[in-house]
Amino acid sequence: DKVIPNTGRWGSICPWEYDGTTVTASPKTDWVVKMFDIHAKNFVMETTIHRQDALSAGFIFDVDGDSIYDNNKIALLDFTENEVWLTQARYFPKHNARRFRFEGDTFQLKVVAYETLLEVYVNDIFVLHHMIDRTGGKIGLFAETGTVRFLDPKVYLLS
């Protein structure tokens, strides 16, 4: 087991736990981001999200720089409001949102980003489509207040 503390530049300070291909976040009172050392513009990113009590979870991408204050986008599963959002950290405006009834605790999340196209699928259901200016950037995981496990997160780079 390896625990890497967040320094605070990616949201609140929170340990991330790793167990094989599972990544777990447990922020107590705020949101947190775990960045990968991957820069991508065109990609498919997918994972199985197991929500224990987190308020929301998702993927962050198009991060341009070395902190959350730089440009970014988040495909967010909001379990409290039963919505799938396209938003942006630090202020979380709703660029686009669709209702989705989250039943149970385990969900498949897939984000397809190609040029200006963004598609979000939950449990293989096409939920959100958005056309947006994109330049690419770093990608990662997002969690808010509570515990969430990301099982076998994968990124496929598209040419």
Side-chain angles (χ1 to χ4, degrees):
D1 289 340
K2 177 168 68 169
V3 177
I4 300 175
N6 182 356
T7 63
R9 74 178 177 173
W10 301 113
S12 66
I13 296 173
C14 169
W16 287 81
E17 297 176 14
Y18 304 87
D19 182 13
T21 60
T22 299
V23 181
T24 303
S26 299
K28 301 292 183 216
T29 60
D30 200 2
W31 56 271
V32 66
V33 168
K34 176 64 182 167
M35 299 305 301
F36 297 121
D37 191 19
I38 299 172
H39 185 283
K41 179 174 182 182
N42 302 314
F43 62 87
V44 175
M45 194 168 177
E46 61 185 10
T47 191
T48 299
I49 291 177
H50 180 76
R51 172 189 180 244
Q52 291 177 331
D53 59 353
L55 298 181
S56 66
F59 292 133
I60 187 167
F61 55 97
D62 289 357
V63 177
D64 180 22
D66 289 326
S67 82
I68 207 63
Y69 295 104
D70 298 312
N71 291 330
N72 64 78
K73 293 167 188 65
I74 300 173
L76 180 72
L77 304 184
D78 185 332
F79 304 117
T80 304
E81 298 293 325
N82 283 307
E83 290 183 325
V84 177
W85 299 15
L86 175 63
T87 188
Q88 182 176 352
R90 177 164 279 302
Y91 302 107
F92 300 96
K94 283 188 185 180
H95 296 304
N96 196 341
R98 295 288 182 267
R99 302 286 299 157
F100 188 88
R101 188 171 177 177
F102 293 103
E103 296 178 349
D105 295 322
T106 303
F107 311 96
Q108 302 287 330
L109 173 62
K110 180 178 0 181
V111 173
V112 178
Y114 189 79
E115 299 299 329
T116 60
L117 168 73
L118 176 73
E119 294 179 346
V120 180
Y121 298 81
V122 180
N123 298 339
D124 293 323
I125 299 169
F126 180 49
V127 178
L128 190 71
H129 170 86
H130 196 81
M131 301 299 286
I132 192 166
D133 289 332
R134 299 184 53 249
T135 57
K138 293 178 185 174
I139 58 178
L141 304 174
F142 174 92
E144 180 192 9
T145 311
T147 299
V148 62
R149 295 184 320 161
F150 299 89
L151 290 74
D152 199 22
K154 295 179 183 169
V155 177
Y156 303 96
L157 301 179
L158 305 175
S159 57

